[in-house]
Amino acid sequence: MIRLKDVSKTYKKETHALVDVSLSVEQNEFVYIVGKSGSGKTTLIDLLYGKVKPNKGIVAVEEYFVNHLKSKHLCYLRRKLGVVFQDFRLLEHKTLFENIAYVLEVTGHHPSDIESKVMDALDTVNLKHKALDYPSDCSGGEQQRVAIARAIVHEPAVLIADEPTANLDPRTGFDMVKLLHKINQRGTAVIMATHNYSYIDRLPARVIELENGRVISDRSKNHVQLIINAKYGDFYVG
Ligand code: ADP
Ligand code: MG
Protein backbone atom coordinates (compact mmCIF):
# COMPACT_ATOMS: atom_id res chain seq x y z
CA MET A 1 0.00 0.00 0.00
CA ILE A 2 2.87 2.35 0.91
CA ARG A 3 6.40 1.75 -0.34
CA LEU A 4 9.54 3.80 0.20
CA LYS A 5 12.69 2.60 -1.54
CA ASP A 6 16.10 4.13 -0.85
CA VAL A 7 14.54 7.49 -0.10
CA SER A 8 16.75 10.42 0.83
CA LYS A 9 15.72 14.00 1.49
CA THR A 10 18.20 16.80 1.93
CA TYR A 11 17.14 20.36 2.71
CA LYS A 12 19.29 23.23 1.44
CA LYS A 13 22.08 20.89 0.29
CA GLU A 14 23.26 20.25 3.83
CA THR A 15 20.54 18.92 6.18
CA HIS A 16 20.15 15.20 5.58
CA ALA A 17 16.64 14.82 6.95
CA LEU A 18 16.19 11.27 5.58
CA VAL A 19 18.93 8.95 4.39
CA ASP A 20 18.28 5.78 2.33
CA VAL A 21 14.96 4.94 3.96
CA SER A 22 13.21 1.81 2.70
CA LEU A 23 10.01 0.54 4.23
CA SER A 24 6.54 -0.61 3.37
CA VAL A 25 3.22 -0.40 5.16
CA GLU A 26 0.38 -2.77 4.39
CA GLN A 27 -3.36 -2.35 4.54
CA ASN A 28 -4.74 -2.41 8.11
CA GLU A 29 -1.37 -1.79 9.79
CA PHE A 30 -0.90 0.66 12.67
CA VAL A 31 2.60 2.11 12.62
CA TYR A 32 4.24 4.48 15.05
CA ILE A 33 7.10 6.52 13.59
CA VAL A 34 9.22 7.44 16.60
CA GLY A 35 12.45 9.32 17.14
CA LYS A 36 13.78 12.42 18.79
CA SER A 37 13.00 15.89 17.54
CA GLY A 38 14.87 16.44 14.26
CA SER A 39 15.14 12.71 13.45
CA GLY A 40 13.08 13.05 10.25
CA LYS A 41 9.54 12.04 11.27
CA THR A 42 7.78 15.05 9.77
CA THR A 43 9.82 14.80 6.58
CA LEU A 44 8.70 11.18 6.22
CA ILE A 45 5.04 12.15 6.75
CA ASP A 46 5.35 15.10 4.35
CA LEU A 47 6.75 12.81 1.64
CA LEU A 48 3.68 10.58 1.86
CA TYR A 49 1.19 13.28 0.98
CA GLY A 50 3.42 15.01 -1.53
CA LYS A 51 4.27 18.15 0.42
CA VAL A 52 7.95 17.29 0.11
CA LYS A 53 9.67 15.52 -2.80
CA PRO A 54 12.63 13.18 -2.22
CA ASN A 55 16.02 13.95 -3.72
CA LYS A 56 16.49 10.26 -4.34
CA GLY A 57 14.44 7.07 -4.20
CA ILE A 58 10.84 6.10 -4.76
CA VAL A 59 7.76 6.99 -2.71
CA ALA A 60 4.63 5.08 -3.72
CA VAL A 61 1.19 5.33 -2.13
CA GLU A 62 -1.31 2.85 -3.59
CA GLU A 63 -1.04 3.29 -7.37
CA TYR A 64 0.64 6.71 -7.20
CA PHE A 65 4.35 7.37 -7.48
CA VAL A 66 4.55 10.53 -5.42
CA ASN A 67 7.88 11.71 -6.89
CA HIS A 68 6.46 11.81 -10.39
CA LEU A 69 3.07 13.24 -9.55
CA LYS A 70 2.44 16.67 -11.06
CA SER A 71 1.11 19.29 -8.63
CA LYS A 72 -2.25 19.34 -10.40
CA HIS A 73 -2.59 15.59 -9.78
CA LEU A 74 -1.75 15.70 -6.05
CA CYS A 75 -5.48 15.88 -5.31
CA TYR A 76 -5.87 12.26 -6.52
CA LEU A 77 -3.20 11.11 -4.09
CA ARG A 78 -4.77 13.08 -1.27
CA ARG A 79 -8.12 11.36 -1.77
CA LYS A 80 -6.38 8.16 -0.66
CA LEU A 81 -5.05 9.82 2.49
CA GLY A 82 -6.30 11.60 5.56
CA VAL A 83 -3.84 13.87 7.34
CA VAL A 84 -3.90 15.10 10.95
CA PHE A 85 -1.48 17.69 12.35
CA GLN A 86 -0.54 18.68 15.86
CA ASP A 87 -2.16 22.11 15.53
CA PHE A 88 -5.61 20.84 14.35
CA ARG A 89 -5.87 23.40 11.46
CA LEU A 90 -9.62 23.96 11.63
CA LEU A 91 -11.36 26.90 9.96
CA GLU A 92 -12.47 29.16 12.82
CA HIS A 93 -15.41 30.77 11.01
CA LYS A 94 -16.96 27.46 10.05
CA THR A 95 -18.97 25.11 12.29
CA LEU A 96 -17.59 21.64 13.04
CA PHE A 97 -20.04 20.25 10.48
CA GLU A 98 -18.86 22.75 7.84
CA ASN A 99 -15.20 22.08 8.60
CA ILE A 100 -15.72 18.44 7.72
CA ALA A 101 -18.27 18.90 4.92
CA TYR A 102 -15.82 21.15 3.10
CA VAL A 103 -13.61 18.15 2.25
CA LEU A 104 -16.51 16.47 0.45
CA GLU A 105 -17.77 19.65 -1.20
CA VAL A 106 -14.48 20.23 -3.00
CA THR A 107 -14.58 16.69 -4.35
CA GLY A 108 -18.11 17.17 -5.68
CA HIS A 109 -20.19 14.92 -3.42
CA HIS A 110 -23.99 15.23 -3.46
CA PRO A 111 -25.38 17.33 -0.52
CA SER A 112 -27.48 14.48 0.94
CA ASP A 113 -24.46 12.21 0.78
CA ILE A 114 -22.36 14.89 2.49
CA GLU A 115 -24.72 15.21 5.43
CA SER A 116 -24.79 11.49 6.22
CA LYS A 117 -21.02 11.06 5.80
CA VAL A 118 -20.22 14.07 7.99
CA MET A 119 -22.58 12.92 10.74
CA ASP A 120 -21.07 9.41 10.60
CA ALA A 121 -17.57 10.88 10.93
CA LEU A 122 -18.68 13.05 13.87
CA ASP A 123 -20.29 9.97 15.43
CA THR A 124 -17.00 8.04 15.16
CA VAL A 125 -15.25 10.76 17.19
CA ASN A 126 -18.24 11.18 19.58
CA LEU A 127 -18.98 14.78 18.62
CA LYS A 128 -22.33 14.53 16.86
CA HIS A 129 -23.90 16.72 19.56
CA LYS A 130 -21.50 19.56 18.73
CA ALA A 131 -22.02 19.57 14.95
CA LEU A 132 -23.23 23.18 14.89
CA ASP A 133 -20.66 24.57 17.32
CA TYR A 134 -17.54 26.44 16.25
CA PRO A 135 -13.94 25.39 16.96
CA SER A 136 -13.67 28.17 19.55
CA ASP A 137 -16.48 26.43 21.52
CA CYS A 138 -14.34 23.29 21.77
CA SER A 139 -11.48 22.05 23.93
CA GLY A 140 -8.15 21.11 22.34
CA GLY A 141 -9.07 17.43 22.51
CA GLU A 142 -12.41 18.08 20.83
CA GLN A 143 -10.74 20.13 18.10
CA GLN A 144 -8.32 17.32 17.41
CA ARG A 145 -11.23 14.88 17.23
CA VAL A 146 -12.85 17.15 14.62
CA ALA A 147 -9.57 17.14 12.69
CA ILE A 148 -9.60 13.34 12.82
CA ALA A 149 -13.23 13.26 11.63
CA ARG A 150 -12.27 15.58 8.76
CA ALA A 151 -9.37 13.27 7.89
CA ILE A 152 -11.54 10.13 7.69
CA VAL A 153 -14.78 11.49 6.19
CA HIS A 154 -13.74 10.55 2.64
CA GLU A 155 -12.84 7.03 3.82
CA PRO A 156 -9.14 7.16 3.00
CA ALA A 157 -7.01 4.03 2.76
CA VAL A 158 -4.43 5.56 5.09
CA LEU A 159 -4.66 8.04 7.95
CA ILE A 160 -1.39 9.81 8.67
CA ALA A 161 -0.93 11.86 11.81
CA ASP A 162 2.07 14.03 12.66
CA GLU A 163 2.39 14.41 16.45
CA PRO A 164 -1.42 14.46 16.90
CA THR A 165 -1.05 14.54 20.68
CA ALA A 166 1.68 17.17 21.00
CA ASN A 167 -0.67 20.01 21.97
CA LEU A 168 -2.82 17.94 24.34
CA ASP A 169 -2.47 16.96 27.97
CA PRO A 170 -1.31 13.32 28.48
CA ARG A 171 -4.75 11.94 29.24
CA THR A 172 -6.44 13.60 26.25
CA GLY A 173 -3.46 12.61 24.12
CA PHE A 174 -3.94 8.99 25.10
CA ASP A 175 -7.66 9.21 24.23
CA MET A 176 -6.61 10.42 20.78
CA VAL A 177 -4.28 7.45 20.27
CA LYS A 178 -7.09 5.10 21.38
CA LEU A 179 -9.36 6.76 18.81
CA LEU A 180 -6.74 6.24 16.08
CA HIS A 181 -6.54 2.56 17.06
CA LYS A 182 -10.35 2.29 16.84
CA ILE A 183 -10.25 3.76 13.32
CA ASN A 184 -7.46 1.33 12.43
CA GLN A 185 -9.59 -1.60 13.62
CA ARG A 186 -12.27 -0.54 11.18
CA GLY A 187 -9.83 -1.12 8.31
CA THR A 188 -7.86 2.11 7.81
CA ALA A 189 -4.07 1.92 7.95
CA VAL A 190 -2.69 4.46 10.45
CA ILE A 191 0.78 6.00 10.48
CA MET A 192 1.41 8.16 13.51
CA ALA A 193 4.60 10.14 14.10
CA THR A 194 5.34 10.85 17.75
CA HIS A 195 8.24 11.63 20.02
CA ASN A 196 6.22 10.26 22.96
CA TYR A 197 7.26 6.65 23.52
CA SER A 198 4.76 6.00 26.32
CA TYR A 199 1.91 5.26 23.86
CA ILE A 200 3.85 2.28 22.51
CA ASP A 201 3.76 0.58 25.89
CA ARG A 202 0.11 1.26 26.41
CA LEU A 203 -1.20 0.48 22.93
CA PRO A 204 1.36 -1.66 21.11
CA ALA A 205 1.71 -1.60 17.33
CA ARG A 206 4.52 -1.75 14.80
CA VAL A 207 7.25 0.76 15.67
CA ILE A 208 9.66 2.29 13.16
CA GLU A 209 12.39 4.27 14.88
CA LEU A 210 14.34 7.05 13.16
CA GLU A 211 17.64 8.52 14.22
CA ASN A 212 19.39 11.21 12.20
CA GLY A 213 17.17 10.41 9.22
CA ARG A 214 17.85 6.67 9.20
CA VAL A 215 15.63 3.77 10.22
CA ILE A 216 17.42 2.23 13.20
CA SER A 217 14.73 -0.32 14.04
CA ASP A 218 11.45 -1.62 12.69
CA ARG A 219 9.63 -3.85 15.17
CA SER A 220 6.40 -5.69 14.56
CA LYS A 221 3.52 -5.47 17.03
CA ASN A 222 4.25 -9.01 18.31
CA HIS A 223 7.85 -8.10 19.00
CA VAL A 224 6.81 -4.92 20.83
CA GLN A 225 4.30 -6.95 22.86
CA LEU A 226 7.03 -9.43 23.84
CA ILE A 227 9.25 -6.60 25.06
CA ILE A 228 6.37 -5.19 27.10
CA ASN A 229 5.57 -8.60 28.57
CA ALA A 230 9.23 -8.99 29.56
CA LYS A 231 9.12 -5.56 31.17
CA TYR A 232 5.81 -5.82 33.03
CA GLY A 233 5.25 -9.59 33.18
CA ASP A 234 2.84 -11.64 31.08
CA PHE A 235 -0.15 -10.43 33.07
CA TYR A 236 0.22 -6.91 31.74
CA VAL A 237 -2.71 -6.18 29.47
CA GLY A 238 -1.72 -3.67 26.76
P1 ADP B 1 11.14 15.59 13.26
O1 ADP B 1 9.76 15.69 12.76
O2 ADP B 1 11.54 14.21 13.66
O3 ADP B 1 11.42 16.57 14.36
P2 ADP B 1 11.94 16.84 10.76
O4 ADP B 1 11.60 15.95 9.61
O5 ADP B 1 11.06 18.00 11.02
O6 ADP B 1 12.15 15.94 12.06
O7 ADP B 1 13.41 17.42 10.54
C1 ADP B 1 14.52 16.63 10.15
C2 ADP B 1 15.68 17.55 9.89
O8 ADP B 1 15.41 18.35 8.74
C3 ADP B 1 15.98 18.52 11.03
O9 ADP B 1 17.36 18.71 11.10
C4 ADP B 1 15.27 19.80 10.57
O10 ADP B 1 15.90 20.94 11.11
C5 ADP B 1 15.44 19.73 9.06
N1 ADP B 1 14.35 20.40 8.33
C6 ADP B 1 13.05 20.05 8.35
N2 ADP B 1 12.32 20.82 7.54
C7 ADP B 1 13.19 21.69 6.96
C8 ADP B 1 13.06 22.75 6.01
N3 ADP B 1 11.86 23.06 5.48
N4 ADP B 1 14.17 23.43 5.67
C9 ADP B 1 15.37 23.11 6.18
N5 ADP B 1 15.57 22.12 7.07
C10 ADP B 1 14.50 21.41 7.47
MG1 MG C 1 8.07 16.70 13.47
Short mmCIF file of all heavy atoms in Angstrom, two decimals, residues 129-156:
data_model
loop_
_atom_site.label_atom_id
_atom_site.label_comp_id
_atom_site.label_asym_id
_atom_site.label_seq_id
_atom_site.Cartn_x
_atom_site.Cartn_y
_atom_site.Cartn_z
N HIS A 129 -23.12 15.71 18.83
CA HIS A 129 -23.90 16.72 19.56
C HIS A 129 -23.32 18.13 19.40
O HIS A 129 -23.97 19.10 19.73
CB HIS A 129 -23.97 16.34 21.04
CG HIS A 129 -22.62 16.25 21.70
ND1 HIS A 129 -21.73 15.24 21.42
CD2 HIS A 129 -22.01 17.06 22.60
CE1 HIS A 129 -20.63 15.41 22.12
NE2 HIS A 129 -20.77 16.52 22.84
N LYS A 130 -22.10 18.23 18.88
CA LYS A 130 -21.50 19.56 18.73
C LYS A 130 -21.41 20.00 17.26
O LYS A 130 -20.70 20.97 16.94
CB LYS A 130 -20.11 19.60 19.37
CG LYS A 130 -20.14 19.37 20.88
CD LYS A 130 -18.90 19.86 21.58
CE LYS A 130 -19.00 21.31 21.94
NZ LYS A 130 -18.08 21.79 22.95
N ALA A 131 -22.14 19.33 16.39
CA ALA A 131 -22.02 19.57 14.95
C ALA A 131 -22.13 21.05 14.57
O ALA A 131 -21.44 21.52 13.67
CB ALA A 131 -23.07 18.76 14.20
N LEU A 132 -22.99 21.79 15.29
CA LEU A 132 -23.23 23.18 14.89
C LEU A 132 -22.43 24.18 15.72
O LEU A 132 -22.60 25.40 15.58
CB LEU A 132 -24.74 23.50 14.96
CG LEU A 132 -25.58 22.61 14.03
CD1 LEU A 132 -27.06 22.96 14.12
CD2 LEU A 132 -25.09 22.70 12.58
N ASP A 133 -21.55 23.68 16.56
CA ASP A 133 -20.66 24.57 17.32
C ASP A 133 -19.47 24.98 16.45
O ASP A 133 -19.21 24.39 15.39
CB ASP A 133 -20.13 23.85 18.57
CG ASP A 133 -21.21 23.71 19.64
OD1 ASP A 133 -22.34 24.16 19.39
OD2 ASP A 133 -20.92 23.12 20.70
N TYR A 134 -18.74 25.97 16.95
CA TYR A 134 -17.54 26.44 16.25
C TYR A 134 -16.30 25.93 16.97
O TYR A 134 -16.36 25.61 18.18
CB TYR A 134 -17.54 27.98 16.21
CG TYR A 134 -18.56 28.51 15.23
CD1 TYR A 134 -19.90 28.66 15.60
CD2 TYR A 134 -18.20 28.79 13.92
CE1 TYR A 134 -20.86 29.09 14.69
CE2 TYR A 134 -19.14 29.22 13.00
CZ TYR A 134 -20.47 29.37 13.39
OH TYR A 134 -21.40 29.78 12.48
N PRO A 135 -15.16 25.88 16.29
CA PRO A 135 -13.94 25.39 16.96
C PRO A 135 -13.66 26.12 18.26
O PRO A 135 -13.19 25.50 19.23
CB PRO A 135 -12.85 25.65 15.92
CG PRO A 135 -13.57 25.54 14.60
CD PRO A 135 -14.93 26.12 14.86
N SER A 136 -13.97 27.42 18.32
CA SER A 136 -13.67 28.17 19.55
C SER A 136 -14.55 27.72 20.72
O SER A 136 -14.25 28.04 21.87
CB SER A 136 -13.85 29.67 19.30
OG SER A 136 -15.15 29.91 18.83
N ASP A 137 -15.63 26.96 20.44
CA ASP A 137 -16.48 26.43 21.52
C ASP A 137 -15.94 25.08 22.02
O ASP A 137 -16.58 24.45 22.86
CB ASP A 137 -17.91 26.18 21.01
CG ASP A 137 -18.54 27.42 20.43
OD1 ASP A 137 -18.28 28.51 20.97
OD2 ASP A 137 -19.27 27.31 19.41
N CYS A 138 -14.81 24.65 21.49
CA CYS A 138 -14.34 23.29 21.77
C CYS A 138 -13.01 23.29 22.50
O CYS A 138 -12.19 24.19 22.32
CB CYS A 138 -14.13 22.53 20.46
SG CYS A 138 -15.65 22.31 19.54
N SER A 139 -12.78 22.25 23.28
CA SER A 139 -11.48 22.05 23.93
C SER A 139 -10.47 21.60 22.87
O SER A 139 -10.85 21.22 21.75
CB SER A 139 -11.60 20.98 25.01
OG SER A 139 -11.86 19.73 24.39
N GLY A 140 -9.20 21.59 23.26
CA GLY A 140 -8.15 21.11 22.34
C GLY A 140 -8.41 19.68 21.89
O GLY A 140 -8.29 19.37 20.70
N GLY A 141 -8.80 18.83 22.86
CA GLY A 141 -9.07 17.43 22.51
C GLY A 141 -10.22 17.31 21.53
O GLY A 141 -10.18 16.51 20.59
N GLU A 142 -11.26 18.13 21.76
CA GLU A 142 -12.41 18.08 20.83
C GLU A 142 -11.99 18.58 19.44
O GLU A 142 -12.39 18.01 18.43
CB GLU A 142 -13.56 18.93 21.39
CG GLU A 142 -14.26 18.26 22.57
CD GLU A 142 -15.26 19.17 23.28
OE1 GLU A 142 -15.15 20.42 23.16
OE2 GLU A 142 -16.13 18.63 23.96
N GLN A 143 -11.19 19.62 19.41
CA GLN A 143 -10.74 20.13 18.10
C GLN A 143 -9.92 19.08 17.36
O GLN A 143 -10.06 18.93 16.15
CB GLN A 143 -9.91 21.41 18.29
CG GLN A 143 -10.76 22.57 18.79
CD GLN A 143 -10.00 23.89 18.73
OE1 GLN A 143 -9.32 24.20 17.78
NE2 GLN A 143 -10.13 24.67 19.78
N GLN A 144 -9.09 18.35 18.09
CA GLN A 144 -8.32 17.32 17.41
C GLN A 144 -9.22 16.19 16.93
O GLN A 144 -9.00 15.61 15.87
CB GLN A 144 -7.19 16.79 18.32
CG GLN A 144 -6.18 15.90 17.62
CD GLN A 144 -5.46 16.59 16.47
OE1 GLN A 144 -6.09 17.05 15.50
NE2 GLN A 144 -4.15 16.66 16.55
N ARG A 145 -10.30 15.91 17.69
CA ARG A 145 -11.23 14.88 17.23
C ARG A 145 -11.95 15.34 15.96
O ARG A 145 -12.22 14.53 15.05
CB ARG A 145 -12.24 14.54 18.33
CG ARG A 145 -11.70 13.42 19.22
CD ARG A 145 -12.17 13.49 20.64
NE ARG A 145 -13.61 13.45 20.80
CZ ARG A 145 -14.26 13.85 21.90
NH1 ARG A 145 -13.58 14.35 22.93
NH2 ARG A 145 -15.57 13.79 21.98
N VAL A 146 -12.25 16.63 15.86
CA VAL A 146 -12.85 17.15 14.62
C VAL A 146 -11.85 16.98 13.46
O VAL A 146 -12.22 16.57 12.35
CB VAL A 146 -13.22 18.64 14.76
CG1 VAL A 146 -13.78 19.18 13.45
CG2 VAL A 146 -14.21 18.85 15.89
N ALA A 147 -10.59 17.28 13.74
CA ALA A 147 -9.57 17.14 12.69
C ALA A 147 -9.47 15.68 12.23
O ALA A 147 -9.29 15.41 11.04
CB ALA A 147 -8.22 17.64 13.20
N ILE A 148 -9.64 14.77 13.19
CA ILE A 148 -9.60 13.34 12.82
C ILE A 148 -10.85 12.99 11.99
O ILE A 148 -10.75 12.30 10.98
CB ILE A 148 -9.47 12.45 14.08
CG1 ILE A 148 -8.07 12.65 14.71
CG2 ILE A 148 -9.71 10.98 13.75
CD1 ILE A 148 -7.86 11.99 16.07
N ALA A 149 -12.00 13.51 12.40
CA ALA A 149 -13.23 13.26 11.63
C ALA A 149 -13.07 13.80 10.20
O ALA A 149 -13.46 13.14 9.22
CB ALA A 149 -14.43 13.92 12.32
N ARG A 150 -12.48 14.98 10.09
CA ARG A 150 -12.27 15.58 8.76
C ARG A 150 -11.33 14.70 7.93
O ARG A 150 -11.48 14.59 6.71
CB ARG A 150 -11.68 16.98 8.94
CG ARG A 150 -11.41 17.72 7.64
CD ARG A 150 -10.75 19.06 7.90
NE ARG A 150 -9.52 18.89 8.66
CZ ARG A 150 -8.79 19.89 9.14
NH1 ARG A 150 -9.19 21.14 8.95
NH2 ARG A 150 -7.69 19.66 9.81
N ALA A 151 -10.36 14.08 8.61
CA ALA A 151 -9.37 13.27 7.89
C ALA A 151 -9.93 11.92 7.43
O ALA A 151 -9.38 11.30 6.53
CB ALA A 151 -8.13 13.04 8.77
N ILE A 152 -11.03 11.46 8.06
CA ILE A 152 -11.54 10.13 7.69
C ILE A 152 -12.85 10.18 6.91
O ILE A 152 -13.33 9.16 6.44
CB ILE A 152 -11.76 9.21 8.93
CG1 ILE A 152 -12.73 9.86 9.92
CG2 ILE A 152 -10.41 8.89 9.60
CD1 ILE A 152 -13.22 8.91 11.01
N VAL A 153 -13.42 11.39 6.75
CA VAL A 153 -14.78 11.49 6.19
C VAL A 153 -14.85 10.95 4.76
O VAL A 153 -15.87 10.44 4.32
CB VAL A 153 -15.32 12.94 6.29
CG1 VAL A 153 -14.63 13.88 5.32
CG2 VAL A 153 -16.83 12.95 6.07
N HIS A 154 -13.74 11.05 4.02
CA HIS A 154 -13.74 10.55 2.64
C HIS A 154 -13.23 9.11 2.56
O HIS A 154 -12.90 8.62 1.49
CB HIS A 154 -12.91 11.49 1.75
CG HIS A 154 -11.49 11.63 2.19
ND1 HIS A 154 -11.14 12.10 3.43
CD2 HIS A 154 -10.32 11.32 1.56
CE1 HIS A 154 -9.81 12.07 3.54
NE2 HIS A 154 -9.30 11.61 2.43
N GLU A 155 -13.22 8.45 3.73
CA GLU A 155 -12.84 7.03 3.82
C GLU A 155 -11.51 6.74 3.13
O GLU A 155 -11.43 5.94 2.20
CB GLU A 155 -13.97 6.15 3.26
CG GLU A 155 -15.23 6.27 4.08
CD GLU A 155 -16.45 5.68 3.39
OE1 GLU A 155 -16.31 4.63 2.76
OE2 GLU A 155 -17.53 6.29 3.48
N PRO A 156 -10.45 7.38 3.62
CA PRO A 156 -9.14 7.16 3.00
C PRO A 156 -8.59 5.78 3.33
O PRO A 156 -8.99 5.18 4.32
CB PRO A 156 -8.27 8.25 3.65
CG PRO A 156 -8.87 8.42 5.01
CD PRO A 156 -10.35 8.25 4.81
#
